[in-house]
Amino acid sequence: MAAPAPDVLDHAQLNRALLARQLLLERSDLGAVDAVEHLVGMQAQAPNPPYIGLWTRLARFRTLDLAAGVQSREVVRLVLMRGTIHLVSARDCLRLRPVLAESLERSLKGTFGRKLAGLDLADVVALGVEAVEKEALTLGALGTVLAERWPDHDAFALANAVRNLVPLVQVPPRGLWGESGQAAHTTASSWLGRGPDTDPDPGAVVERYLAAFGPASVKDMQVWSGMTRLASVVGRLGTRLRVFRGTDGRTLYDLPDAPRPAPGTPAPVRFLPDFDNILLSHADRSRVITEERRRHVFTRNGLIRPTFLVDGEVAGMWRVDRERGAARLVLQPFSPLPRSVRDELTDEGGRLLSFAAADSSSQDIVFDGHP
């Protein structure tokens, strides 16, 4: 007897499933570190966006909650998925980095292979580790140290060889709310007092991804992680996963008991920070943003602008302008919004300003563009 055809999930079902797992249907009571771990990390090129990302997802979040985790070494910042800086729990730093080692090595070769040609990278790594464990260094300073030994090679490429081949974490004050300055690095092993897992489990990482971003295709998993050949990993998980089909015929995988709310489940407006992973973790991003709007949000120089969600979909962008102590939240909707939605955005925007611009002398909110 032929196996029954997989259930079909439409756009609305995929949208609500993603929102539920991203803690965007209702704010969660999780603590900051547990939320970062549930989300399998947060992309974090700049220090402040993860704070906004947690504020929009958690019921009682304060900047101190995450800053304390950074200072106590419960969360760290390092290169992980897609070769980008992520904020992750210390546990995930040690669990994820070994699984991603091959993809990070491949990325290094693709970007800097010619500039590193002829080098014994084991020697580069050994000297780099010795240097950053003696004193936390910026990538520029690390490159200078390495270029003294290999003067005929590009210093930036040498520094990146160490960062991609060894887990290097960024030490405080980098990662603290409102702090600026260049990122200084040391090894994860010295910072956390223990080394990465010696038995990497890509299947466990796939399951973690689905818990935070599913249902998803193999291609989605690969786009999120930067890894390749995940079809075989998914195959080995077998009955641990449930199989669905998208309306476009794609095969989608999910955890059997993961939340899949009804399409009509209410979705309140939410403000997302720059680089929020909800926009970066699928090959097919249409469950939350149209291709036309994506072109406005994703800039040519690699920035991902802050956005807001209306009924679970990216409906516009936002920014906070600061001048002479005053803070103004500027909302740029992509299309006209009903008065009720504008009122909801204004209310939630006021709460955002109270959080993100608590030190301002005055605050206001304006709509720029569509009435």
Side-chain angles (χ1 to χ4, degrees), residues 70 73 75-79 85 93-94 97 125 127-139 141-142 159 162-174 182-194 196:
V70 173
R73 311 188 186 192
V75 293
V76 293
R77 297 162 52 88
L78 77 162
V79 170
I85 298 294
C93 168
L94 302 177
R97 183 59 189 242
V125 166
L127 181 56
V129 166
E130 179 183 351
V132 298
E133 289 191 343
K134 181 179 180 181
E135 176 188 7
L137 297 174
T138 65
L139 280 187
L142 175 58
V162 179
R163 187 172 69 163
N164 274 47
L165 298 177
V166 178
L168 295 186
V169 300
Q170 299 180 357
V171 302
R174 191 68 171 178
Q182 292 182 294
H185 303 76
T186 190
T187 62
S189 297
S190 63
W191 186 248
L192 299 177
R194 57 195 190 278

Side-chain angles (χ1 to χ4, degrees), residues 132-154:
V132 298
E133 289 191 343
K134 181 179 180 181
E135 176 188 7
L137 297 174
T138 65
L139 280 187
L142 175 58
T144 298
V145 169
L146 296 170
E148 291 176 0
R149 172 79 174 273
W150 293 281
D152 295 332
H153 288 80
D154 181 81

Side-chain angles (χ1 to χ4, degrees), residues 252-332:
L252 303 172
Y253 300 91
D254 204 7
L255 303 177
D257 298 325
R260 288 179 288 274
T265 302
V269 300
R270 290 287 186 254
F271 287 91
L272 302 177
D274 336 33
F275 299 104
D276 197 280
N277 267 346
I278 197 174
L279 302 183
L280 293 165
S281 300
H282 299 85
D284 178 6
R285 301 183 175 101
S286 64
R287 66 184 71 189
V288 288
I289 186 170
T290 65
E291 179 58 26
E292 179 184 359
R293 293 177 178 184
R294 187 195 68 80
R295 288 195 289 267
H296 292 285
V297 173
F298 289 56
T299 70
R300 291 183 178 181
N301 59 353
L303 300 179
I304 316 296
R305 293 188 172 108
T307 58
F308 57 82
L309 303 179
V310 173
D311 194 27
E313 310 243 1
V314 171
M317 301 182 295
W318 63 272
R319 69 179 189 270
V320 174
D321 293 338
R322 304 289 294 263
E323 184 178 0
R324 298 178 182 177
R328 168 170 290 180
L329 175 62
V330 181
L331 305 178
Q332 297 175 291

Side-chain angles (χ1 to χ4, degrees), residues 18-328:
L18 179 60
L19 294 178
R21 296 172 207 200
Q22 285 288 304
L23 314 179
L24 292 168
L25 283 183
E26 56 182 331
R27 285 186 162 96
S28 170
D29 290 326
L30 286 173
V33 176
D34 288 339
V36 170
E37 195 161 277
H38 167 78
L39 297 168
V40 206
M42 308 178 77
Q43 190 157 326
Q45 274 90 332
N48 286 354
Y51 289 82
I52 302 294
L54 289 177
W55 168 82
T56 207
R57 289 170 165 91
L58 301 182
R60 288 176 289 277
F61 177 71
R62 305 169 302 160
T63 56
L64 178 62
D65 298 334
L66 181 56
V70 173
Q71 292 174 315
S72 66
R73 311 188 186 192
E74 293 178 274
V75 293
V76 293
R77 297 162 52 88
L78 77 162
V79 170
L80 283 173
M81 287 74 73
R82 305 182 296 281
T84 56
I85 298 294
H86 274 70
L87 176 81
V88 296
S89 71
R91 291 184 293 266
D92 272 349
C93 168
L94 302 177
R95 289 186 292 213
L96 293 172
R97 183 59 189 242
V99 176
L100 296 166
E102 182 180 342
S103 67
L104 292 171
E105 183 175 354
R106 185 177 64 253
S107 173
L108 177 69
K109 291 179 179 177
T111 306
F112 296 105
R114 292 184 179 180
K115 294 181 178 182
L116 297 171
L119 286 171
D120 184 336
L121 293 183
D123 290 342
V124 176
V125 166
L127 181 56
V129 166
E130 179 183 351
V132 298
E133 289 191 343
K134 181 179 180 181
E135 176 188 7
L137 297 174
T138 65
L139 280 187
L142 175 58
T144 298
V145 169
L146 296 170
E148 291 176 0
R149 172 79 174 273
W150 293 281
D152 295 332
H153 288 80
D154 181 81
F156 187 62
L158 292 168
N160 273 275
V162 179
R163 187 172 69 163
N164 274 47
L165 298 177
V166 178
L168 295 186
V169 300
Q170 299 180 357
V171 302
R174 191 68 171 178
L176 301 180
W177 175 261
E179 294 286 348
S180 59
Q182 292 182 294
H185 303 76
T186 190
T187 62
S189 297
S190 63
W191 186 248
L192 299 177
R194 57 195 190 278
D197 288 2
T198 56
D199 186 21
D201 184 356
V205 174
V206 165
E207 290 180 288
R208 293 280 308 283
Y209 166 77
L210 291 173
F213 296 98
S217 68
V218 169
K219 190 174 182 180
D220 291 329
M221 301 170 197
Q222 293 181 163
V223 164
W224 167 77
S225 65
M227 299 166 67
T228 59
R229 301 188 298 275
L230 286 182
S232 60
V233 175
V234 169
R236 288 195 296 272
L237 289 171
T239 57
R240 294 174 65 90
L241 302 182
R242 185 174 171 186
V243 179
F244 294 92
R245 184 166 58 84
T247 54
D248 57 1
R250 289 176 304 136
T251 300
L252 303 172
Y253 300 91
D254 204 7
L255 303 177
D257 298 325
R260 288 179 288 274
T265 302
V269 300
R270 290 287 186 254
F271 287 91
L272 302 177
D274 336 33
F275 299 104
D276 197 280
N277 267 346
I278 197 174
L279 302 183
L280 293 165
S281 300
H282 299 85
D284 178 6
R285 301 183 175 101
S286 64
R287 66 184 71 189
V288 288
I289 186 170
T290 65
E291 179 58 26
E292 179 184 359
R293 293 177 178 184
R294 187 195 68 80
R295 288 195 289 267
H296 292 285
V297 173
F298 289 56
T299 70
R300 291 183 178 181
N301 59 353
L303 300 179
I304 316 296
R305 293 188 172 108
T307 58
F308 57 82
L309 303 179
V310 173
D311 194 27
E313 310 243 1
V314 171
M317 301 182 295
W318 63 272
R319 69 179 189 270
V320 174
D321 293 338
R322 304 289 294 263
E323 184 178 0
R324 298 178 182 177
R328 168 170 290 180

